[in-house]
Amino acid sequence: MNRELDKIIRLMGRLYGRDISIYDVGFLTRSLDRRASATGCRTLAAYLVPLSDFEAEAETFYRSLRVSYSEFFRNPLTFALLEQLILPGLIAEKERAGRSEIRVWSAGCAAGQEPYSLAILLDELTAGRRNTVSFRIFATDSSEPELAAAREGVYDPAAVGNVRLKHLSGYFSGDGGSYVVANALKERVSFSVHDMLDEGSLCPPASIYGEFDLAICSNLLFYYRPDIRRSILNKLEHCLAPDGYLVTGEAERELVAKLEGFRAVFPGATVYRRR
Ligand SMILES: C[S@@+](CC[C@H](N)C(=O)[O-])C[C@H]1O[C@@H](n2cnc3c(N)ncnc32)[C@H](O)[C@@H]1O
């Protein structure tokens, strides 16, 4: 780690009580470079001045580390695989075993796009089957404002660009100005606060116990320091059923490829199953 970065980490802790040492060095450096150039500073050493003199700048920089961008059906290959192979397989396994519920955890769910995408697929796949298998999605995030937006489930037209027309008309109401998730779909997803760095609770509190058939944690791990990523992956692993699936984002492909307890279920996709 370079000296300036080290100074900035200590400054953020000392002056503002923000521990930014948890983040990945590359991610921190890119975020700092962006703020430095936005404030007219040519070097990180120069950026130390506005950062220590102006709390508002420190807050702006800190907020830039809390990335919450998401999309419905964000990774097309992953969602195609879920729709055509993984979820139908899970439903069939449940039916064969005489068990009735599929349990899903969306960790770092942002404003709900990811858990609602999964809820749409599961609702469509389970509707009208002879042996009823139902599903519950536990969606968690560390950000209250994101969760509030998720519970509200209101999206502008650009945000639903990846949603198929039949899903838009079946699972949303809207007048073209904004789209609102149907109550029947909202009822399948429970949103709650859960910090993946909280070592005191292993599973999302609302779920009581883990045993998830599928946990999805995408575009979250790679912001963190390697040892923190490892502890987040341990938590996900702990909460999975013995043969559960782990789904990550493209950005995490390298990290999970090194996990011993999982194998990729399809070449090129970031869907893994416990060995
Ligand atoms: C970039 S968004 C990704 C959203 C979604 N998973 C996706 O792939 O589109 C990252 C989300 O993770 C949440 N997050 C970051 N760190 C977290 C943590 N330690 N515990 C829980 N959520 C976290 C953020 O609040 C944000 O909503």
Side-chain angles (χ1 to χ4, degrees):
M1 190 183 300
N2 73 37
R3 264 163 45 94
E4 267 62 45
L5 185 56
D6 194 41
K7 278 188 193 161
I8 287 173
I9 290 173
R10 282 191 275 117
L11 181 149
M12 288 296 288
R14 198 179 65 248
L15 291 186
Y16 306 112
R18 303 288 199 191
D19 178 12
I20 60 166
S21 72
I22 56 174
Y23 294 105
D24 173 71
V25 169
F27 172 61
L28 266 184
T29 310
R30 285 191 298 280
S31 310
L32 281 164
D33 284 345
R34 268 196 300 273
R35 283 312 308 159
S37 81
T39 51
C41 300
R42 291 186 146 183
T43 60
L44 284 191
Y47 183 59
L48 270 161
V49 178
L51 205 53
S52 59
D53 288 357
F54 302 106
E55 188 167 358
E57 178 51 36
E59 205 43 41
T60 304
F61 160 58
Y62 185 69
R63 266 192 280 112
S64 76
L65 302 175
R66 313 290 298 176
V67 183
S68 61
Y69 179 79
S70 189
E71 283 175 28
F72 284 91
F73 301 98
R74 183 164 185 177
N75 182 330
L77 176 59
T78 299
F79 276 96
L81 198 60
L82 287 170
E83 181 176 19
Q84 285 160 33
L85 198 75
I86 310 295
L87 300 178
L90 258 179
I91 294 167
E93 280 172 27
K94 292 279 171 189
E95 284 176 346
R96 272 198 303 276
R99 298 213 306 275
S100 61
E101 191 177 71
I102 293 174
R103 292 165 61 79
V104 175
W105 179 15
S106 164
C109 65
Q113 297 90 334
E114 179 180 278
Y116 285 135
S117 302
L118 284 163
I120 289 171
L121 296 184
L122 278 163
D123 187 69
E124 211 171 42
L125 290 164
T126 53
R129 287 180 74 93
R130 201 160 37 86
N131 301 319
T132 36
V133 171
S134 84
F135 66 90
R136 283 191 75 184
I137 298 181
F138 297 85
T140 60
D141 203 281
S142 54
S143 159
E144 275 286 10
E146 289 302 320
L147 290 165
R151 288 187 194 101
E152 220 173 305
V154 180
Y155 303 94
D156 63 33
V160 296
N162 294 345
V163 181
R164 289 177 204 153
L165 276 180
K166 68 167 181 170
H167 290 155
L168 261 189
S169 59
Y171 295 103
F172 293 80
S173 58
D175 50 12
S178 59
Y179 291 86
V180 187
V181 175
N183 284 336
L185 200 67
K186 283 186 184 171
E187 282 162 14
R188 315 305 292 269
V189 186
S190 61
F191 291 100
S192 58
V193 180
H194 179 71
D195 188 338
M196 295 304 283
L197 308 188
D198 176 2
E199 287 170 7
S201 74
L202 282 171
C203 300
S207 79
I208 306 176
Y209 65 101
E211 287 287 306
F212 291 105
D213 298 295
L214 188 148
I216 179 164
C217 183
S218 79
N219 300 299
L220 178 163
L221 288 167
F222 73 99
Y223 298 119
Y224 289 109
R225 221 168 58 196
D227 58 316
I228 291 185
R229 294 173 195 162
R230 180 69 248 181
S231 70
I232 295 176
L233 284 168
N234 284 347
K235 188 181 264 208
L236 291 160
E237 200 173 347
H238 172 89
C239 290
L240 274 181
D243 53 354
Y245 291 95
L246 175 66
V247 181
T248 69
E250 273 302 313
E252 286 97 7
R253 177 189 295 284
E254 294 290 307
L255 309 174
V256 184
K258 293 185 198 130
L259 268 188
E260 280 189 359
F262 291 87
R263 64 176 170 79
V265 298
F266 195 76
T270 52
V271 181
Y272 308 86
R273 188 163 210 188
R274 268 186 136 167
R275 288 180 201 274

